[in-house]
Amino acid sequence: MEKDAYKTIDRPGQEILFKEKASKFFAYSFPVDKEDEVESALLELKSKHNKAGHFCYAWQMGENYEHFRVNDDGEPSNSAGMPILGQLQNFEVTNILVVVVRYFGGTKLGVGGLISAYKTAAKMALENSKIISKTINLNFEVTCEYDKMNLVMRLVKEYDLDIIEQDLKLDCHFKIGVRKKDFEMIYKKFEVVFGFEVSSKFKAEEK
């Protein structure tokens, strides 16, 4: 069956602290769907932790989990960002950023120790985040005469659809959101059975 839902968070998670050999690892999760939101979150944390040595992170975006990035921020290659990303993938979450802020405690952890510490901190951050499920919706637009407006509204109510926009100035114009798995059936109801002028935008929306 085609996937039409994904897991994410809709608010920042709780700050967590993991300690390993006197090093402190503060971990945070943020909901993001644009890269400039990543930069804003990092600036916020750098202001809060202005004496920390490393701000390592990973993010994943897109309802199909198709975009991601990692950053080791000066730690040995693949010892920080990749373990954080691994936890995003284990929890199957997207549109999310996890940042782990490290204060060096004076004892080197080695690459293996760093991998374990960043993985644990990221896991704790996700465990302390409220993970929710969102459906993937697609949009289409309907234009009809006023005498068919009640029929449109009846279909909207019958199939529990979302009216995203409506314009009743000249003709009746509606933008309607439909859960992805139901899109083809609903679209045909409007287009074929009732002969409305329908245009498909195939744009993903969240619900």
Side-chain angles (χ1 to χ4, degrees), residues 92-138:
E92 298 181 328
V93 286
T94 188
N95 291 351
I96 185 171
L97 162 71
V98 168
V99 184
V100 180
V101 181
R102 182 191 180 195
Y103 289 84
F104 180 54
T107 301
K108 292 185 177 181
L109 302 181
V111 172
L114 288 172
I115 290 172
S116 177
Y118 280 103
K119 174 183 176 180
T120 300
K123 182 174 183 288
M124 291 171 65
L126 291 167
E127 288 173 342
N128 285 277
S129 302
K130 184 180 179 182
I131 296 174
I132 61 174
S133 180
K134 290 188 175 183
T135 60
I136 301 171
N137 287 1
L138 298 175

Side-chain angles (χ1 to χ4, degrees), residues 47-204:
S47 175
K48 180 175 182 176
H49 295 283
N50 55 18
K51 294 183 179 180
H54 304 277
F55 295 80
C56 304
Y57 65 85
W59 56 254
Q60 192 155 251
M61 297 186 204
E63 67 246 3
N64 294 308
Y65 302 72
E66 63 268 37
H67 305 297
F68 65 88
R69 182 169 296 172
V70 301
N71 191 314
D72 295 313
D73 193 33
E75 296 283 32
S77 180
N78 296 325
S79 68
M82 286 303 292
I84 298 171
L85 178 64
Q87 290 307 298
L88 298 184
Q89 293 172 340
N90 284 347
F91 280 76
E92 298 181 328
V93 286
T94 188
N95 291 351
I96 185 171
L97 162 71
V98 168
V99 184
V100 180
V101 181
R102 182 191 180 195
Y103 289 84
F104 180 54
T107 301
K108 292 185 177 181
L109 302 181
V111 172
L114 288 172
I115 290 172
S116 177
Y118 280 103
K119 174 183 176 180
T120 300
K123 182 174 183 288
M124 291 171 65
L126 291 167
E127 288 173 342
N128 285 277
S129 302
K130 184 180 179 182
I131 296 174
I132 61 174
S133 180
K134 290 188 175 183
T135 60
I136 301 171
N137 287 1
L138 298 175
N139 297 343
F140 64 89
E141 298 181 2
V142 175
T143 301
C144 67
E145 301 293 335
Y146 278 95
D147 61 356
K148 290 185 177 180
M149 182 174 67
N150 287 339
L151 182 54
V152 173
M153 299 308 293
R154 194 171 77 205
L155 289 169
V156 166
K157 183 177 180 180
E158 179 180 352
Y159 293 104
D160 192 26
L161 308 178
D162 292 327
I163 296 180
I164 298 168
E165 295 176 9
Q166 64 180 26
D167 184 350
L168 307 178
K169 292 177 182 177
L170 298 175
D171 294 325
C172 298
H173 182 82
F174 302 90
K175 180 186 283 187
I176 297 173
V178 184
R179 186 165 177 169
K180 188 175 180 180
K181 70 180 179 63
D182 299 325
F183 183 81
E184 186 175 354
M185 180 270 289
I186 297 295
Y187 185 80
K188 287 181 178 178
K189 283 279 187 184
F190 279 85
E191 184 181 44
V192 178
V193 178
F194 297 98
F196 294 151
E197 180 183 335
V198 182
S199 64
S200 171
K201 296 302 182 183
F202 291 98
K203 179 183 178 183

Side-chain angles (χ1 to χ4, degrees), residues 30-42 61 97:
F30 300 90
V32 293
D33 55 23
K34 297 180 292 188
E35 288 196 46
D36 58 359
E37 294 174 345
V38 173
E39 295 304 316
S40 295
L42 289 169
M61 297 186 204
L97 162 71

